[in-house]
Amino acid sequence: MRKFLSHYGVIFVLVLLCAYYSFATLNQQHPADANTGRKLASFVIQQMPNANVLIAVRDSDDDRVFAEAIRQSLGGASIQPVGIVAGEPRDIVVELRRMGDAGTKLDAIVTHHASAQWTVLGEARLKELANEYPSLANVQVLKPSSYTWPTFLTRGNLLSIGNQVAVTAIIAIAMTMVIITAGIDLSVGSLMALSGVLAAWTIHRIVGEGDPSMMTLTAACFTAILLSAVIGLLTGVMVTAFDIPAFIVTLAVMRIARGLAYKVADGPSPIAIESEAFHSLSAGNLLGIPNPVLLMVALYVLAYILMSHTALGRYIYAVGGNPEAARLSGVPVKRVLLFVYAICGALAGLGGVMEASLFSVGNPNSGVGYELQIIAAVVVGGTSLMGGKGKVIGTLIGALILAVISNGMYLTKVDSYTQMIVFGTLILIAVLLDQLKTRRWKP
Amino acid sequence: MIQNQSRWMWMALLVAALGCSRGSGVDVAVSVNDDNDATTPTAAREGTSGVTSESKGIIGFSALTLTNPFFTIIADHLTEEGAKHGYEVIVDDANRDVKSQSEQIDTYITRGAAAIVINPCDRLSIGPAIKKANDAGIPVFTSDLQCVAEDVKITGHVGTDNFGGGKLAGEAMIEALGEAGGKVLVLHFEQAQSCVLRVGGFKEVIDAYNTEREEEKIEVVAELDGGGLRDEGFKATSAAIQSDPDITGIFAINDPSALGAYAALEQAGKADQVKIVAFDGQIDGKQAIKDGKIYADPIQFPDRMGRITMQNIVKYLNGEDFEQITLIPTELYRKADADKDPELN
């Protein structure tokens, strides 16, 4: 039990955090989907069958679905709404004035919580209009009822956590491997920027301002990722062939890659990528699950198999545990190290391409400070900085813990200065736990 | 071990899935907003945690950085003016990072904000995040910095008339250098569109001045990147006085880089021979004007920026017209103004 706790305590922490933030963000939720729209319509049909109804929503696709569901349901009971507005508060005023001028009697405005919050649909403003136009004297505002549910646990919020964590978590896979070999890689943030800028630059090179083809996009992304892998490999060569500490090598590569990114972008301004297809790589989804999350899960599965079920995985642990012993027992120490740094470069490159896709630009300023976030995720996930111990799944949990805390603090309105203190403290606690664990169970 | 681990993972997923599957299957409530109490409102407001029932909604403000007082003043006045109209303003620090800002915008969307205000961290790559707010039907207002991304809708912008401010800075420089003219260094920050405008206005005035005269012109000898920061301004100026030891004027696009420039001049023993004109009018800058370190600042009004932005939001939500783009003019602030300023000591 003790051992179990020591290994998987992080999962409890994650579950506890989720529970805490679910409780702390328990709040009124305001549904506005098609189903809710139909219910609202049937209420109107029952309660006010001969009413003149105006449907008012915002100018958004989701709102249009809601409005359309109401219109159809009302139509089923042969009620024709006297108007539908999908727009800004001002558009509602324009519509109301039009009705007032025409003398159209209005009984109810059907809307949802968000628009009902607009002061234009508030008591004071409606009274003002009623005084101006007699036909608007008796207007009710109808909206779907709300229910209590944690904002933290809404679909939108969970997806947004997933999206936020994906890039960090993906690079953290390789960082875990590097740290298990008792190394470190500080260059990942800069490599991300370089890779993103390279992808954007390549696309521009090939098609100029036009819309790039799928081939072009794939070629550009692979070039960027491959080049990042090569830089990672070179880092590995410096570490293995010349025995320079990884900290120093990657610190240097971090500056070099950042400088290269600015060079390629020809200054600090991002290179725009005008391509829907490229944007959908990060912004799209499959069956409602965002692409970055799917990619993250797939890579974690691969990494899990690699680390737990292959010889290479065992080698990586062996190199970190005791490189001399590993070498004597026939582990190709140098090749293993080259592999982990190359993978780290490649995944940083992939992360850079994903960021570029998400923001539709190759930004030479992106990824600043990412290396620290990623290392924090690895450390919180229970991987020892001394090498030889750690789990990729732990890293995923670590990344999730950091993302959940960040998201939860936003939702509970914790100010940004406090957030910095919390994150710093968290890393200290994680390292402290690692130390205690080593002392108690591995004397 | 692995068995146990995956069991926990499944439970976590289950909890998550439960969260996703709620959301429909809700009864209808009616909120009556007129005085005719035909239908009783249901328990729409019961069980609310946190949000007071008085609040008309929340408004999210993602500031460029809260380590610069300029933006905290905007935040304070947004919050104050918001409270006056019954809105709760949530302030977040984007820390100059587009990704943080995008996450903050996501959170505002999740929380169902009535409006979103940002100082865009990047005028291009913040586009997709704004697009998301557009798609959710939530209006986005920019303050101070503008967004130029395509296909996004910015409902309103309030900023400084930077070009006009740059012209004022140019006039201040002419005044400071007097009839003698001289060589001028510009401490730029080209990344920011606002600074490009400031330097543009500055040079227009200087060029017009030069065309009127044959000699004793004012010559811009170098434009260096001062990063808008004290240490960068220091470095750039130290280098510039090596290559151009006889410069007589410096125009810095903000107060911090101007103060960095002053430190460099002081170190080189040239503080008396060079006149500095800066921009902003933050408390540090004003104090430096009083102490004679900076000649003058076109000052900006972040307090008005915050207030006008909130007034625009209120007008928007009330369905009224408002100026879509408001540029607040700057005013020149010299030592005489600083001597009368009660804020300074």
Side-chain angles (χ1 to χ4, degrees):
Chain A
M1 183 64 193
R2 260 176 136 190
K3 194 148 188 225
F4 173 78
L5 265 179
S6 87
H7 272 112
Y8 300 105
V10 279
I11 298 174
F12 291 109
V13 175
L14 181 61
V15 172
L16 275 179
L17 275 171
C18 290
Y20 169 73
Y21 280 122
S22 301
F23 176 73
T25 62
L26 211 54
N27 221 323
Q28 293 281 296
Q29 304 298 329
H30 314 290
D33 50 23
N35 201 13
T36 323
R38 281 188 284 276
K39 290 210 163 135
L40 188 54
S42 66
F43 175 87
V44 173
I45 295 163
Q46 280 167 22
Q47 299 294 320
M48 28 189 10
N50 299 314
N52 279 343
V53 176
L54 168 71
I55 304 173
V57 293
R58 297 170 298 183
D59 178 19
S60 84
D61 289 347
D62 288 351
D63 279 21
R64 281 175 208 281
V65 170
F66 172 73
E68 183 55 24
I70 297 176
R71 196 191 62 80
Q72 273 180 5
S73 302
L74 288 180
S78 49
I79 299 179
Q80 283 304 322
V82 288
I84 300 180
V85 180
E88 300 183 349
R90 211 180 157 278
D91 302 327
I92 297 180
V93 175
V94 171
E95 180 68 11
L96 287 175
R97 286 192 191 282
R98 192 187 61 78
M99 284 181 182
D101 284 333
T104 314
K105 173 120 181 66
L106 184 64
D107 301 302
I109 299 173
V110 180
T111 182
H112 50 41
H113 177 82
S115 293
Q117 285 274 88
W118 290 347
T119 48
V120 73
L121 293 181
E123 209 174 308
R125 185 77 163 134
L126 285 180
K127 212 179 247 172
E128 233 176 80
L129 286 165
N131 289 339
E132 247 178 278
Y133 303 103
S135 70
L136 304 179
N138 227 337
V139 179
Q140 288 182 27
V141 176
L142 308 182
K143 62 171 187 179
S145 70
S146 308
Y147 60 94
T148 305
W149 182 258
T151 306
F152 177 80
L153 285 184
T154 53
R155 187 184 143 79
N157 191 54
L158 292 174
L159 289 184
S160 117
I161 293 179
N163 267 324
Q164 284 164 28
V165 83
V167 170
T168 328
I170 285 175
I171 304 176
I173 293 175
M175 188 67 82
T176 311
M177 296 181 188
V178 170
I179 291 180
I180 287 175
T181 68
I184 196 127
D185 191 341
L186 299 176
S187 66
V188 286
S190 302
L191 278 180
M192 272 177 71
L194 178 60
S195 155
V197 170
L198 265 175
W201 181 82
T202 316
I203 292 170
H204 267 259
R205 263 291 136 127
I206 301 178
V207 294
E209 296 297 316
D211 201 17
S213 69
M214 218 53 198
M215 267 289 285
T216 314
L217 292 177
T218 321
C221 294
F222 271 100
T223 315
I225 295 171
L226 198 68
L227 203 97
S228 307
V230 169
I231 295 179
L233 191 68
L234 291 177
T235 306
V237 170
M238 298 296 282
V239 172
T240 52
F242 305 105
D243 254 345
I244 311 172
F247 180 85
I248 305 294
V249 178
T250 56
L251 193 65
V253 174
M254 170 177 158
R255 296 301 293 255
I256 296 171
R258 180 70 62 188
L260 282 174
Y262 283 121
K263 282 267 183 200
V264 175
D266 196 19
S269 306
I271 305 177
I273 307 168
E274 312 279 348
S275 162
E276 268 309 306
F278 185 64
H279 184 51
S280 67
L281 174 70
S282 270
N285 63 65
L286 190 70
L287 303 172
I289 303 173
N291 291 344
V293 176
L294 290 172
L295 190 57
M296 175 184 83
V297 171
L299 286 172
Y300 267 93
V301 170
L302 283 179
Y304 171 72
I305 295 171
L306 174 81
M307 293 304 278
S308 309
H309 297 286
T310 68
L312 182 57
R314 284 193 294 280
Y315 289 168
I316 291 174
Y317 282 106
V319 168
N322 186 338
E324 194 51 29
R327 197 181 58 80
L328 291 175
S329 46
V331 174
V333 175
K334 290 196 173 172
R335 266 187 284 160
V336 168
L337 284 175
L338 287 180
F339 170 79
V340 294
Y341 284 102
I343 284 288
C344 202
L347 288 190
L350 175 63
V353 169
M354 287 167 69
E355 285 263 304
S357 148
L358 186 62
F359 295 118
S360 289
V361 293
N363 185 356
N365 284 314
S366 82
V368 174
Y370 266 47
E371 56 282 346
L372 297 181
Q373 284 183 36
I374 291 164
I375 294 169
V378 175
V379 171
V380 170
T383 295
S384 166
L385 283 170
M386 303 300 143
K389 284 192 303 271
K391 294 222 156 30
V392 277
I393 301 297
T395 298
L396 178 60
I397 309 286
L400 282 172
I401 287 177
L402 295 180
V404 163
I405 293 181
S406 160
N407 174 269
M409 287 200 290
Y410 279 138
L411 290 181
T412 50
K413 288 179 276 180
V414 175
D415 67 275
S416 56
Y417 306 139
T418 314
Q419 291 192 15
M420 293 181 200
I421 298 170
V422 169
F423 280 119
T425 313
L426 196 72
I427 294 170
L428 273 184
I429 294 174
V431 179
L432 202 68
L433 283 179
D434 180 48
Q435 284 291 334
L436 290 177
K437 225 157 62 184
T438 324
R439 284 209 194 129
R440 197 169 305 166
W441 286 294
K442 304 258 163 61
Chain B
M1 275 310 161
I2 299 309
Q3 286 297 310
N4 283 324
Q5 190 173 350
S6 50
R7 199 175 301 152
W8 280 108
M9 294 269 298
W10 279 117
M11 281 192 70
L13 274 177
L14 202 68
V15 174
L18 277 172
C20 299
S21 63
R22 281 291 303 256
S24 50
V26 186
D27 297 321
V28 177
V30 179
S31 82
V32 182
N33 281 350
D34 65 351
D35 42 355
N36 182 351
D37 206 57
T39 328
T40 41
T42 59
R45 293 204 190 278
E46 277 174 31
T48 318
S49 84
V51 182
T52 58
S53 53
E54 303 303 319
S55 173
K56 287 188 197 155
I58 59 166
I59 289 167
F61 174 44
S62 171
L64 178 73
T65 166
L66 292 178
T67 54
N68 183 336
F70 185 84
F71 298 99
T72 50
I73 294 174
I74 296 182
D76 291 346
H77 284 84
L78 263 178
T79 311
E80 197 180 283
E81 189 74 18
K84 221 185 274 174
H85 291 99
Y87 292 99
E88 183 194 359
V89 178
I90 307 164
V91 179
D92 285 307
D93 186 354
N95 209 0
R96 295 180 192 272
D97 178 22
V98 181
K99 186 151 190 276
S100 303
Q101 191 155 58
S102 305
E103 289 172 12
Q104 286 159 3
I105 292 175
D106 276 355
T107 317
Y108 303 148
I109 298 173
T110 306
R111 298 191 58 189
I116 294 172
V117 184
I118 59 169
N119 316 122
C121 288
D122 185 277
R123 58 201 170 112
L124 210 55
S125 43
I126 195 60
I130 296 179
K131 188 89 185 22
K132 265 197 222 169
N134 289 161
D135 289 345
I138 300 175
V140 176
F141 293 77
T142 51
S143 128
D144 188 39
L145 305 162
Q146 272 180 298
C147 166
V148 297
E150 282 174 37
D151 304 330
V152 300
K153 184 170 163 37
I154 305 291
T155 304
H157 172 78
V158 181
T160 293
D161 179 5
N162 284 300
F163 193 79
K167 284 162 95 173
L168 278 186
E171 284 161 20
M173 183 60 81
I174 293 168
E175 186 182 294
L177 296 182
E179 275 306 298
K183 293 186 178 174
V184 171
L185 162 72
V186 173
L187 285 181
H188 211 329
F189 182 54
E190 262 180 300
Q191 253 169 288
Q193 184 60 20
S194 55
C195 298
V196 174
L197 288 170
R198 287 173 199 179
V199 174
F202 178 81
K203 286 208 240 169
E204 190 182 278
V205 167
I206 299 292
D207 287 346
Y209 175 79
N210 286 341
T211 50
E212 287 168 13
R213 49 185 56 224
E214 285 301 309
E215 45 199 38
E216 267 126 27
K217 293 186 175 191
I218 296 177
E219 185 193 355
V220 176
V221 288
E223 276 179 49
L224 298 177
D225 188 2
L229 299 168
R230 203 179 275 241
D231 51 348
E232 295 287 320
F234 176 82
K235 278 193 248 173
T237 309
S238 302
I241 48 184
Q242 297 309 317
S243 54
D244 284 296
D246 53 346
I247 54 171
T248 51
I250 294 178
F251 170 48
I253 48 74
N254 69 358
D255 287 334
S257 56
L259 292 171
Y262 183 81
L265 293 174
E266 209 174 22
Q267 202 182 51
K270 288 178 187 286
D272 294 334
Q273 87 178 43
V274 183
K275 293 276 195 293
I276 301 176
V277 175
F279 207 105
D280 261 7
Q282 293 183 11
I283 198 79
D284 281 7
K286 286 180 174 171
Q287 187 67 48
I289 290 172
K290 187 169 184 181
D291 300 341
K293 296 175 181 172
I294 296 177
Y295 177 76
D297 263 20
I299 54 170
Q300 310 193 70
F301 299 95
D303 48 343
R304 288 187 208 166
M305 227 175 260
R307 271 202 302 272
I308 295 174
T309 302
M310 186 53 72
Q311 286 159 4
N312 285 348
I313 293 173
V314 169
K315 282 183 189 158
Y316 169 89
L317 294 172
N318 208 22
E320 296 169 38
D321 288 321
F322 59 92
E323 293 279 326
Q324 260 201 326
I325 295 180
T326 309
L327 293 182
I328 304 169
T330 54
E331 284 168 19
L332 211 51
Y333 184 96
R334 304 180 182 82
K335 190 167 185 338
D337 302 298
D339 288 336
K340 283 180 284 183
D341 200 328
E343 273 186 323
L344 306 174
N345 46 39

